[in-house]
Amino acid sequence: MEGFGLPAVEAMALGCPLIASTAPCLPEVCGDAALYAGPADAGSWISAVRRLCNEDSLRRHLAEKGRARAATFSWRRIAEAYLLLIADIDLC
């Protein structure tokens, strides 16, 4: 499993309309900038792909939301968050 969802952030930053798994971390990372499908639910994946193929406005909307969402992440913020987590663990 992906620990953070970096491939999703990279896709959003490039303006790729995203279909993501409901597996841990991805809904938190992608927020409302993606469609979601259960990891073992083939029907949800097929439905989401069909929606992206057939709905131009949905593709544009997800691309715009994705770029905005990706812009909220930075290497500095991620590093600072990890440092704080490590410091909290060290104090235990």
Side-chain angles (χ1 to χ4, degrees):
M1 289 194 132
E2 178 71 27
F4 168 71
L6 188 56
V9 174
E10 290 172 335
M12 290 187 297
L14 293 172
C16 180
L18 191 63
I19 303 169
S21 172
T22 56
C25 96
L26 291 173
E28 182 179 348
V29 169
C30 301
D32 64 352
L35 297 178
Y36 293 96
D41 185 355
S44 324
W45 288 95
I46 292 167
S47 176
V49 169
R50 283 191 177 134
R51 286 190 67 198
L52 286 182
C53 287
N54 296 323
E55 299 178 35
D56 293 338
S57 62
L58 177 62
R59 282 194 311 273
R60 285 191 301 275
H61 175 74
L62 289 177
E64 180 181 316
K65 295 285 281 185
R67 283 189 190 101
R69 181 77 178 166
T72 66
F73 295 97
S74 76
W75 285 112
R76 176 178 281 291
R77 274 192 296 247
I78 293 167
E80 288 171 350
Y82 276 113
L83 285 172
L84 289 173
L85 287 171
I86 291 168
D88 284 345
I89 292 168
D90 190 43
L91 295 176
C92 293

